[in-house]
């Protein structure tokens, strides 16, 4: 491009490039960049001039060139597809008429902070330093799939929305995600506090060597996938405190060795899956002070060292089969935790009960652990045949499946007391009066109740029919039932240790 074809504004950009000087087009009463479509030629720079500066601008010995423009209107289509520019680029607070095409380009650093764009095509982009989209307003898809950013990515308070939202017809796939970082590699952190996406955010198969910060972010895609972070790999933490999501969050297969912090978050996908974090490996999952989840939660086959989820946060439908966790917090009575297991859509999931039992045992709460095991047997009983359910009820009533052994003692004492009074009122007849020992109603009752122990009373005396005889039959039968259930229950309890 010939110099004499440039406007005054464009000459300022051309002349400032060799020394990296910042070209300011802002004024004291500068309107927001969203009104940049009204800016006249005095602060407009053609996209072809920007391209010419980057690829053919003057280089001076001893100077470090850089393209630094603040508050300009970029007219036309900026096409830097596969371009290489060994300099930093600042196009801050600018208004872009058309979608920049940076597909496959290589830059040292790119800063588009506070700019307004109709979209951005930058898949496979390579940046040796930092990518900044802080406070940007984008009205179309941002395609950064498979981008390689050696430094950090800043999306603080950026807003992404569709130019003309148009729901997909029934049967069609979801609309294109607005912010695409799928398969991208970020050398340090992905910082996006206050991010707003009126559509889907894709982070599937992305790798972030440091941390991801989504604190105070708002993702809105009702009925669709709001955050797709399947098989995301994070080097440290994924912070999303006070996150607001309307739509599905998919973290299946994610690897987060530090915290997955969803404290104070609001997750909403009524009638669908609000949070899918199955097959994940997470150091700590926090939902402290979070709002009750609207929609189901799927944590199947995940491994979590610390699971901090108050019972009231869990939704009405959960999937927990195969979930393994080390510590469960905050400490709650077993009854409150068991209510969550009752909501498992996979019906009876014994592994979930075993995990909860192990969690209570690790902190020394054996009473709560026994309560969980008893609940497990009761849940299992529902799916058995009628005769097995009947036997299960007997074990439950008598000894609580072995986890309530004092019940058997109570039954024994109650029956012994009733029988002792009855046999005191009406003594059994001695079989051989001259050889019989002195009658003792207590030991006579115990002889009938205990099928193994023999005090010699049952052999020496016999009831004389009627209710007297019937009571003895009841004691004998009850004694065998209690003995059998105690043995079965205790055996089951010991085998769980």
């Amino acid at each position: 491009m010939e110099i004499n074809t440039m406007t005054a504004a464009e000459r300022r950009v051309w002349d400032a490039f060799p020394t990296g000087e910042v070209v300011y087009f802002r004024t004291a009463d500068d309107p927001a960049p969203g009104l940049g479509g009204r800016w006249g030629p005095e602060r407009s720079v053609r996209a072809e001039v920007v391209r010419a500066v980057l690829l053919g601008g003057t280089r001076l010995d001893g100077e470090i060139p850089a393209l630094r423009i603040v508050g300009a209107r970029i007219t036309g289509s900026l096409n830097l597809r596969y371009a290489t520019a060994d300099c930093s680029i600042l196009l801050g607070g600018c208004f872009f008429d058309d979608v920049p095409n940076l597909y496959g380009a290589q830059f040292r650093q790119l800063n588009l902070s506070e700019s307004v764009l109709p979209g951005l095509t930058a898949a496979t982009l390579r940046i040796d330093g930092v990518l900044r989209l802080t406070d940007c307003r984008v009205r179309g898809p941002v395609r950064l799939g498979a981008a390689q950013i050696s430094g950090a990515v800043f999306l603080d308070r950026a807003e992404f929305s569709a130019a003309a939202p148009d729901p997909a017809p029934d049967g069609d796939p979801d609309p294109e995600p607005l912010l695409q970082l799928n398969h991208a590699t970020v050398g340090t952190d992905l910082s996006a506090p206050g991010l707003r996406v009126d559509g889907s955010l894709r982070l599937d198969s992305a790798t972030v060597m440091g941390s991801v910060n989504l604190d105070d972010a708002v993702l809105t895609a009702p009925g669709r996938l709001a955050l797709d972070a399947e098989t995301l790999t994070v080097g440290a933490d994924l912070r999303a405190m006070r996150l607001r999501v309307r739509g599905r969050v998919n973290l299946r297969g994610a690897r987060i060795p530090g915290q997955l912090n969803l404290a104070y978050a609001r997750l909403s996908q009524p009638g669908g899956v609000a949070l899918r974090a199955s097959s994940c490996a997470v150091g700590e999952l926090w939902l402290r002070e979070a709002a009750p989840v609207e929609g189901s939660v799927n944590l199947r086959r995940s491994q979590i060292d610390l699971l901090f989820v108050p019972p009231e946060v869990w939704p009405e439908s959960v999937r927990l089969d195969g979930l393994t966790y080390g510590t469960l917090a905050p400490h709650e009575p077993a009854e409150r935790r068991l209510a969550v297991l009752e909501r498992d859509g996979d019906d009876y999931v014994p592994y979930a009960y075993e995990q909860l039992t192990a969690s209570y045992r690790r902190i020394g709460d054996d009473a709560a652990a026994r309560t969980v095991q008893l609940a497990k047997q009761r849940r299992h009983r529902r799916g058995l045949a009628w005769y097995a359910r009947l036997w299960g009820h007997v074990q439950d009533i008598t000894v609580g499946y072995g986890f309530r052994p004092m019940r058997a003692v109570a039954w024994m004492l109650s029956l012994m007391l009733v029988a002792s009074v009855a046999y005191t009122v009406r003594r059994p007849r001695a079989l051989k009066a001259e050889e019989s020992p002195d009658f003792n109603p207590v030991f006579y009752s115990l002889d009938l109740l205990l099928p193994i122990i023999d005090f010699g009373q049952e052999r020496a005396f016999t009831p004389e029919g009627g209710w007297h005889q019937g009571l003895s039959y009841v004691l004998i039968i009850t004694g065998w039932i209690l003995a059998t259930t105690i043995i079965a229950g205790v055996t089951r309890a010991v085998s769980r240790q």
Side-chain angles (χ1 to χ4, degrees), residues 418-486:
V418 171
S420 298
V421 172
Y423 291 130
T424 298
V425 173
R426 184 177 176 184
R427 289 181 54 172
R429 178 177 56 85
L431 293 175
K432 297 180 179 180
E434 66 281 1
E435 299 178 5
S436 298
D438 293 337
F439 177 74
N440 187 307
V442 174
F443 284 96
Y444 182 74
S445 302
L446 287 175
D447 250 347
L448 295 173
L449 274 171
L450 302 177
I452 299 175
I453 300 175
D454 183 7
F455 293 104
Q457 294 283 313
E458 183 184 3
R459 291 185 284 106
F461 300 93
T462 181
E464 296 186 0
W467 66 267
H468 215 241
Q469 186 71 45
L471 177 59
S472 67
Y473 294 152
V474 169
L475 292 175
I476 293 171
I477 294 172
T478 304
W480 277 105
I481 292 175
L482 284 173
T484 305
T485 54
I486 288 172

Side-chain angles (χ1 to χ4, degrees), residues 278-344:
S278 57
S279 303
C280 291
V282 178
E284 301 177 4
L285 173 56
W286 288 73
L287 278 161
R288 181 171 59 89
E289 301 293 333
V293 177
E294 299 179 22
S296 65
V297 170
N298 184 347
L299 298 179
R300 287 187 291 189
R301 301 177 302 280
S302 287
Q303 296 182 8
I304 303 172
D305 294 335
L306 169 63
L307 183 61
F308 194 111
V309 185
E312 61 271 13
V313 173
W314 293 102
E316 290 302 316
S317 176
V318 297
R319 300 288 191 278
L320 303 176
D321 191 16
L323 169 64
T324 302
Y325 49 88
T327 302
L328 182 62
H331 181 67
E332 294 280 351
E335 291 76 12
R336 281 173 54 79
R337 295 293 185 186
L338 286 169
V340 177
L341 301 190
E342 289 288 329
R343 305 171 194 169
D344 199 312

Side-chain angles (χ1 to χ4, degrees), residues 106-152:
Q106 297 183 36
F107 303 139
R108 176 173 294 177
Q109 183 168 303
L110 178 61
N111 188 344
L112 299 175
S113 296
E114 302 182 24
S115 292
V116 176
L117 305 92
L120 177 63
T121 299
T124 70
L125 172 70
R126 178 174 177 178
I127 297 179
D128 295 332
V130 171
L131 171 62
R132 292 184 182 273
L133 296 173
T134 301
D135 291 312
C136 278
R137 304 293 181 268
V138 187
R139 300 295 180 262
V142 173
R143 304 178 180 94
L144 285 164
Q148 297 183 45
I149 315 298
S150 298

Side-chain angles (χ1 to χ4, degrees), residues 251-275:
L251 292 166
R252 188 187 71 84
R255 296 293 180 266
I256 305 170
Q259 284 189 354
L260 171 54
N261 194 337
L262 295 169
Y264 309 98
R266 289 183 176 272
L267 307 180
S268 176
Q269 177 74 325
V273 179
L275 174 62

